[in-house]
Amino acid sequence: MAGILKSISGRGKLNLSTKKFGIVVAEWNEDVTEALFQGAYDALLKLGVKKENIIRKNVPGSFELPLGAQWMIEKKPIAAVIALGCVIQGDTPHFDYICQAVANGIMTVNLKSNKPVAFGVLTTLDKKQALERAGGKYGNKGEEAAVTVVKMLET
Ligand code: RBF
């Protein structure tokens, strides 16, 4: 089992087989966000979460992730949510507005719902940097986000 997963597997504090997890996935830069999803999904399974307890919801872009996460928490008895997106810098300041709004929005959902919502959103200068962090040479940030919510449930 790879590093990040090894760091928490077998701690035995939590019975993950009865807990439900939400994964919200932004459709912008789909090749990247699908790879993030796969990383998060595989990590949850390896940690003992049941397939039928992983609920996926797609949203159009990263800006919609906070509301998507909130809806999941409101509608289903979910223990934690993993929010996955990829915002790539363009020629206009939209990048800063979207990144700021998503980070603030996800934090708000964490605090208002009192449930862990992981910020699995890549904010990169180009697609290459994003792919390097979605199963490439810098690992998979979707996997790391899954580990983060499990760690939060243990605290
Ligand atoms: N959403 C992303 O998830 N990643 C992006 O890189 C991204 N770039 C955008 C660039 C522009 C100019 C605009 C207007 C939107 C972009 N979005 C992106 C979509 C955004 O998250 C949201 O879905 C839309 O703004 C509709 O609310």
Side-chain angles (χ1 to χ4, degrees):
M1 193 179 276
I4 182 94
L5 281 176
K6 209 173 174 184
S7 73
I8 58 163
S9 69
R11 283 191 194 174
K13 283 190 203 162
L14 260 184
N15 180 8
L16 290 175
S17 71
T18 57
K19 295 212 182 300
K20 291 192 197 303
F21 289 80
I23 307 183
V24 199
V25 186
E27 289 171 348
W28 265 71
N29 301 308
E30 196 180 15
D31 47 344
V32 177
T33 61
E34 282 304 321
L36 293 174
F37 171 78
Q38 211 52 56
Y41 186 80
D42 291 346
L44 290 178
L45 291 183
K46 283 181 193 153
L47 291 168
V49 178
K50 292 220 164 86
K51 248 182 200 168
E52 61 268 28
N53 286 338
I54 303 175
I55 300 141
R56 174 178 175 155
K57 179 172 186 56
N58 276 21
V59 292
S62 294
F63 188 80
E64 285 72 37
L65 286 170
L67 185 56
Q70 185 170 293
W71 282 346
M72 286 194 112
I73 290 169
E74 280 173 1
K75 287 178 188 161
K76 308 225 158 127
I78 279 172
V81 178
I82 299 153
L84 302 173
C86 170
V87 192
I88 296 178
Q89 187 152 36
D91 296 330
T92 59
H94 76 272
F95 178 80
D96 301 316
Y97 288 107
I98 293 176
C99 295
Q100 198 62 249
V102 179
N104 288 339
I106 289 178
M107 178 52 78
T108 302
V109 182
N110 271 274
L111 299 178
K112 287 216 163 148
S113 68
N114 210 27
K115 297 210 165 147
V117 182
F119 181 75
V121 182
L122 298 177
T123 59
T124 62
L125 300 180
D126 53 39
K127 181 65 81 68
K128 181 172 171 282
Q129 283 188 341
L131 289 169
E132 285 171 351
R133 289 156 180 82
K137 68 176 175 184
Y138 295 117
N140 188 313
K141 301 300 169 191
E143 176 181 290
E144 289 180 24
V147 168
T148 297
V149 292
V150 170
K151 280 185 174 172
M152 284 301 286
L153 292 174
E154 283 183 337
T155 58

